[in-house]
């Protein structure tokens, strides 16, 4: 008797062939396989359809992990502290997101496990690795030192589209006999992808030829991304047999969203490592980390509650998928902003302790100067600043200031002229400690070589500008997330009552307007500074999400959940 192997690359087929009175299972991974559902018989177009999956396949999840790993690598090397960094982040995310979308639109309809598909998936994973290598030098401007990155991305984008065009073309051979209308639609899609691939490859030469003339020529990619998306989705929408409504596209979008939210969990662990590791847990570190954690949890819960549970209509399905790009961009920026704000709160507490120590030196009864300076040294040492992360010059400056302080009076005494030197020293001390703290947290302004020559007050002003920018984009993307939640509620239609759906969407729009209104605080420096150094800035978005969630729960008894298994929405 032949025993079946414990592990094998061969898989059994549903069909068994009798051989000599016994039935043996035959089967292995085919070289290539038809996308037509084998369980449905007949040869007419009405009884033939493409194979469908209810959930994502393992290789699709593996591809999603490459996407997120690519995103994590880019996030680790690009801090969002100014408009240029924000543009670079959005641009690179668009490159990998729209590539992921095109691969997903093919996989949810035509991908079947075969040697050919596994080879194609390996090439697509290699392209993601190539994106990661070029992403390290991606900026909003094409320069001499990074032109190779844009040329590499052009080759990778062109190669990925050629591969997709080839995959679509191969599937035409399987469906042209029984699904002629679908074959014509797939032919249009393959042709469009082949044409855009030629444009991507042509831009390889344009980057080199137009260097210094059109530094933003890479934005043409986004025009091509939009054309590809609308052509593929539009043709699929109007062509019978290759529509997206009955696919697991919503599952793929939901899983990618879940993985992106998981990036927020990784951000939480980074915050814990940076804030709790030096001196252990405190009540304020617990409050700050709880705020970020609650935001991540509520984001997942609200999105899950708004996800469609039944089949969407043609147009609702297209809108749902396309809105996920701005949603994912806003989600990533929101999580990144939450991390920066939480670290800023921790830095603000440490600077408050430093200022209190400086003021203690001049309070009655005044301690001896050597005792006061020792307290300053101890306070700074307790911060456990990691000077190796770009703040070695700040460490030298702090040491020099502390060494020179005993030569001058620490507190004003009458008309002592030398106290002005001490006041300047203390200002430089606070500025350099601020720079060292932010650098140790990985928050460094992009000031280039001039950053190392700034005085203490100038350093403080520089970081205030950075935090002001983070404050603005945090609440802008937070309001955008609420607006998108309102759109998702309208598209998913998980309630029978149109009135309840309208009220829920309107409530989220109002909450989004409220979050956008918080941006106006930047007009008053004292107000925005008080808000940014208070945990309330983290819990503002938390309470907004919670309000929308409670409102959703409150209207649930009014209307019952309703599925639309046959009737399409929109």
């Amino acid at each position: 008797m032949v025993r079946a192997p414990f592990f094998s690359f061969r898989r059994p087929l549903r069909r068994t062939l009798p051989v000599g009175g016994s039935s043996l299972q035959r089967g292995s991974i085919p070289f290539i396989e038809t996308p037509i559902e084998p369980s449905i018989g007949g040869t007419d177009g009405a009884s033939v359809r493409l194979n469908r999956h209810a959930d994502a396949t393992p290789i699709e999840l593996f591809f999603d992990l490459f996407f997120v790993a690519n995103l994590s690598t880019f996030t680790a090397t690009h801090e969002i502290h100014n408009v240029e960094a924000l543009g670079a982040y959005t641009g690179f995310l668009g490159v990998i997101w729209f590539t992921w979308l095109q691969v997903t639109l093919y996989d949810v309809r035509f991908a079947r496990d075969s040697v050919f598909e596994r080879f194609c998936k390996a090439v697509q994973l290699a392209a993601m690795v190539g994106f990661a290598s070029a992403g390290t030098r991606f900026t909003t401007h094409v320069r001499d030192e990074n032109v190779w990155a844009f040329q590499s991305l052009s080759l990778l984008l062109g190669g990925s589209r050629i591969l997709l065009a080839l995959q679509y073309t191969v599937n035409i051979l399987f469906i042209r006999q029984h699904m002629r209308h679908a074959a014509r639609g797939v032919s249009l899609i393959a042709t469009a992808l082949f044409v855009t691939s030629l444009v991507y490859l042509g831009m390889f030469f344009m980057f080199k030829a137009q260097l210094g003339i059109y530094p933003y020529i890479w934005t043409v990619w986004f025009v091509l991304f939009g054309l590809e998306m609308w052509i593929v989705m539009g043709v699929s929408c109007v062509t019978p047999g290759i529509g997206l409504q009955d696919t697991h596209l919503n599952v793929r979008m939901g899983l990618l969203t879940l993985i992106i939210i998981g990036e927020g969990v990784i951000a939480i662990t980074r915050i814990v490592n940076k804030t709790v590791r030096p001196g252990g847990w405190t009540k304020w570190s617990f409050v700050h980390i709880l705020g970020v954690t609650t935001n991540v949890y509520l984001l997942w819960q609200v999105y899950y509650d708004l996800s469609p549970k039944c089949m969407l209509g043609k147009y609702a399905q297209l809108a749902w998928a396309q809105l996920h790009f701005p949603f994912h961009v806003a989600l990533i920026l929101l999580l990144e902003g939450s991390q920066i704000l939480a670290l800023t709160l921790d830095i603000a507490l440490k600077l408050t302790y430093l200022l209190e120590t400086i003021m203690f030196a001049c309070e009655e009864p005044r301690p001896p100067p050597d005792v006061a300076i020792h307290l300053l040294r101890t306070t700074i040492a307790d911060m456990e600043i990691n000077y190796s992360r770009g703040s070695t010059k700040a460490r030298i400056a702090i040491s020099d200031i502390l060494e020179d302080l005993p030569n001058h009076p620490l507190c004003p005494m009458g008309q002592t002229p030398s106290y002005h030197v001490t006041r300047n020293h203390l200002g430089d001390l606070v500025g350099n400690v601020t720079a060292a703290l932010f650098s140790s947290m990985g928050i460094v302004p992009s000031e280039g070589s001039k950053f190392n020559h700034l005085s203490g007050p100038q350093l403080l002003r520089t970081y205030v500008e950075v935090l002001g920018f983070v404050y603005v984009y945090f609440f802008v993307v937070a309001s955008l997330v609420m607006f998108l939640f309102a759109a998702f509620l309208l598209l998913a239609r998980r309630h029978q009552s149109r009135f309840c759906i309208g009220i829920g969407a309107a409530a989220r729009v109002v909450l989004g307007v409220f979050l956008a209104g918080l941006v106006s605080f930047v007009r008053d420096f004292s107000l925005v500074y008080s808000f940014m150094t208070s945990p309330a800035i983290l819990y503002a978005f938390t309470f907004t999400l919670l309000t929308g969630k409670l409102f959703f729960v409150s209207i649930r008894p009014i209307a019952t959940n309703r599925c639309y298994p046959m009737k399409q929405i929109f």
Side-chain angles (χ1 to χ4, degrees), residues 115-177:
V115 174
F116 174 73
E117 289 296 337
R118 291 192 179 191
F119 171 77
C120 292
K121 192 61 66 178
V123 176
Q124 292 163 352
L125 295 177
M128 280 293 178
V129 175
F131 288 146
S133 64
T136 57
R137 303 296 296 172
F138 186 89
T139 62
T140 56
H141 289 74
V142 182
R143 303 185 179 92
D144 289 325
E145 62 272 14
N146 66 356
V147 65
W148 67 268
F150 290 90
Q151 290 178 321
S152 300
L153 290 175
S154 293
L155 293 177
L156 292 169
L157 288 171
S160 65
R161 271 47 175 193
I162 289 177
L163 179 62
L164 283 171
L166 175 62
Q167 289 178 281
Y168 279 114
T169 302
V170 169
N171 281 275
I172 294 174
L173 303 177
F174 288 103
I175 67 176
R176 65 179 179 177
Q177 181 177 358

Side-chain angles (χ1 to χ4, degrees), residues 53-62 64 108 248 251-252 255:
H53 298 281
D55 294 313
T57 62
I59 197 168
E60 289 176 340
L61 295 176
F62 192 57
D64 293 349
V108 297
H248 61 288
V251 175
R252 293 295 308 277
L255 289 175

Side-chain angles (χ1 to χ4, degrees), residues 42 130 144 248 260 299 305 318 329 334 469 481 529 531 543 560:
D144 289 325
H248 61 288
I260 290 176
L299 277 171
D305 289 339
L318 299 184
V329 172
L334 184 68
F469 174 78
V481 168
Y529 179 80
F531 190 37
F543 289 127
T560 57

Side-chain angles (χ1 to χ4, degrees), residues 367-435:
D370 56 338
V371 175
I373 294 175
H374 176 73
L375 287 175
L376 283 175
R377 291 181 180 274
T378 304
T379 302
I380 296 175
D382 290 342
M383 297 178 184
E384 296 189 14
I385 303 173
N386 185 4
Y387 294 100
S388 62
R389 302 191 62 182
S391 56
T392 54
K393 293 187 176 181
R395 179 179 185 177
I396 296 174
I398 293 171
S399 179
D400 292 341
I401 293 171
L402 293 176
E403 291 293 337
D404 191 52
L405 278 180
N407 300 325
H408 307 279
L410 292 179
C411 303
M413 299 176 61
Q415 300 296 327
T416 306
S418 58
Y419 176 70
H420 295 287
V421 178
T422 304
R423 184 170 56 188
N424 293 335
H425 277 348
L426 293 177
D428 290 339
L429 178 66
V430 175
N432 282 281
V433 171
T434 302

Side-chain angles (χ1 to χ4, degrees), residues 67-98 135 137-141 150 153 218 222 225 260 263-264 267 270 325 327-337 339-340 469 473 477:
F67 172 90
V68 177
N70 210 327
L71 180 63
S72 300
T73 302
F74 189 79
T75 303
T77 57
H78 292 73
E79 296 290 343
I80 308 173
H81 301 144
N82 51 46
V83 176
E84 182 176 356
L86 181 62
Y89 201 97
T90 305
F92 184 77
L93 178 60
V95 170
I96 61 176
W97 193 91
F98 283 103
R137 303 296 296 172
F138 186 89
T139 62
T140 56
H141 289 74
F150 290 90
L153 290 175
W218 62 272
F222 277 79
F225 294 157
I260 290 176
E263 280 290 297
R270 293 197 193 106
F325 175 67
F327 178 66
H328 287 163
V329 172
L331 196 60
I332 294 170
L333 294 178
L334 184 68
L335 296 173
E336 184 71 12
Q339 178 182 355
I340 295 175
F469 174 78
Y473 93 70
V477 297

Side-chain angles (χ1 to χ4, degrees), residues 549-570:
K549 175 67 177 175
L550 293 177
F551 188 85
F552 183 84
V553 173
S554 65
I555 66 173
R556 182 173 292 177
I558 302 177
T560 57
N561 291 336
R562 177 181 179 183
C563 271
Y564 298 83
M566 300 299 294
K567 181 181 178 181
Q568 294 180 348
I569 307 172
F570 292 173

